[in-house]
Amino acid sequence: MSETTHDGGAIAMSAPPSPDDGLSSTELAAKYGLSVSGARPGLAEYIRKLWGRRHFILAFSQAKLTAQYSQAKLGQLWQVATPLLNAFVYFLIFGLILNAGRGMEIKVYIPFLVTGVFVFAFTQTSVMAGVKSISGNLGLVRALHFPRASLPISFALQQLQQLLFSMIVLLAVVVAFGSLPGLSWLLVLPVLALQFVFNTGLALIMARLGSKTPDLAQLMPFIMRTWMYASGVMFSIPLILADKPNVPSWIVDVLQYNPAAIYMDLIRFALIDDYGSSNLPQHVWAAGLAWSLLVGIAGFVYFWKAEERYGRG
């Protein structure tokens, strides 16, 4: 502290120079360990923070699953009843009227159809939930600071839990039509793991797109319905196109190698005794792994790049 004498005998006290004088705002932030509120962390740090919220992700997905049918009298039974009713309607239209199961015995076609409906619904509901995961939870996003990827991942996990519950009914249908349990049933586990990673990546992509374009939620049902018809849910792609020589072979390849068709066919191959490897495209496991890693990683990075923009404006 220094003293300065002015006219009239008054003494003014002046403060000593601050050690922060001359430092820029960036240097001050670095000196005191400050960071911009809501700034996007590095990818490795983001993954670490996301792992730290794993208990929240699991609890949130379980709460959403429980609340999903809380207002319905049948409650959680709708998790199974909905895809079963869809399979029944598709069987009436495609199986009986349009004969989409030609080339397959009825004991193969019904498990084939039910498996397709259940497995495709896993991807469909994950995508639809992902679209609204940010835009439909803005109150939570704006009130709390947490990795925003927690939400679409949690919704994808919710759909996985719902599928696992429904698998009990699927296995019962498969057994009822003559396919007994065997070691091949264990293949279902890696297939579902690959599909879950794929679905999560897709949900992350749709979450970012849906956060800025809410109308996307109205468009997605039409896109998903088109994808379903192109994926062989109700029919075998190679069998249905076998009597159509005018269809180019590359179209058959595109349809068979689309990820939804790959995961459905792998689970059909695992569960249905008379659905052999001849129904699968070549290198099907490599294709399933490639789709899982490509969409899973790309979706996560794509979502992370807009982390600081979610819930703003």
Side-chain angles (χ1 to χ4, degrees), residues 268-282:
R268 286 163 173 162
F269 169 72
L271 296 179
I272 305 172
D273 289 344
D274 293 329
Y275 195 78
S277 58
S278 60
N279 296 285
L280 305 178
Q282 294 183 346

Side-chain angles (χ1 to χ4, degrees), residues 52-265:
R53 300 297 192 280
R54 63 190 182 277
H55 301 298
F56 162 75
I57 293 173
L58 179 60
F60 188 76
S61 66
Q62 291 174 336
K64 284 291 185 180
L65 184 63
T66 302
Q68 186 173 0
Y69 300 106
S70 60
Q71 302 301 317
K73 290 185 178 180
L74 294 181
Q76 302 300 313
L77 289 178
W78 282 110
Q79 295 180 23
V80 176
T82 299
L84 275 179
L85 289 173
N86 284 333
F88 177 71
V89 172
Y90 294 145
F91 175 71
L92 291 179
I93 303 299
F94 292 92
L96 296 181
I97 298 177
L98 299 180
N99 192 27
R102 58 183 177 272
M104 287 186 281
E105 298 180 32
I106 193 69
K107 69 174 184 178
V108 175
Y109 180 66
I110 291 181
F112 171 96
L113 176 61
V114 175
T115 301
V117 171
F118 275 61
V119 175
F120 185 82
F122 178 29
T123 294
Q124 182 180 35
T125 52
S126 296
V127 171
M128 296 301 298
V131 173
K132 299 180 180 180
S133 60
I134 299 297
S135 60
N137 293 277
L138 286 178
L140 183 63
V141 170
R142 290 170 176 169
L144 301 175
H145 182 68
F146 62 95
R148 307 314 188 200
S150 301
L151 292 176
I153 292 174
S154 181
F155 280 106
L157 184 59
Q158 173 194 348
Q159 303 310 319
L160 176 62
Q161 292 172 339
Q162 180 166 327
L163 176 66
L164 293 177
F165 184 80
S166 304
M167 286 294 290
I168 299 173
V169 177
L170 174 58
L171 295 179
V173 171
V174 170
V175 171
F177 284 89
S179 295
L180 299 179
L183 291 177
S184 64
W185 283 26
L186 296 177
L187 295 175
V188 170
L189 298 178
V191 177
L192 289 182
L194 293 176
Q195 189 181 8
F196 173 69
V197 175
F198 171 81
N199 290 354
T200 302
L202 205 53
L204 287 163
I205 293 172
M206 301 313 300
R208 175 174 172 176
L209 296 176
S211 67
K212 289 299 182 182
T213 312
D215 288 347
L216 190 61
Q218 309 304 319
L219 179 63
M220 287 310 299
F222 302 99
I223 297 176
M224 296 306 300
R225 194 173 301 125
T226 302
W227 191 10
M228 179 183 68
Y229 291 138
S231 299
V233 173
M234 291 79 65
F235 53 83
S236 169
I237 294 172
L239 290 179
I240 207 73
L241 296 179
D243 57 352
K244 295 178 174 57
N246 294 329
V247 177
S249 60
W250 66 267
I251 292 182
V252 179
D253 291 336
V254 168
L255 294 178
Q256 282 195 290
Y257 281 99
N258 100 69
I262 285 175
Y263 298 131
M264 282 189 297
D265 276 345

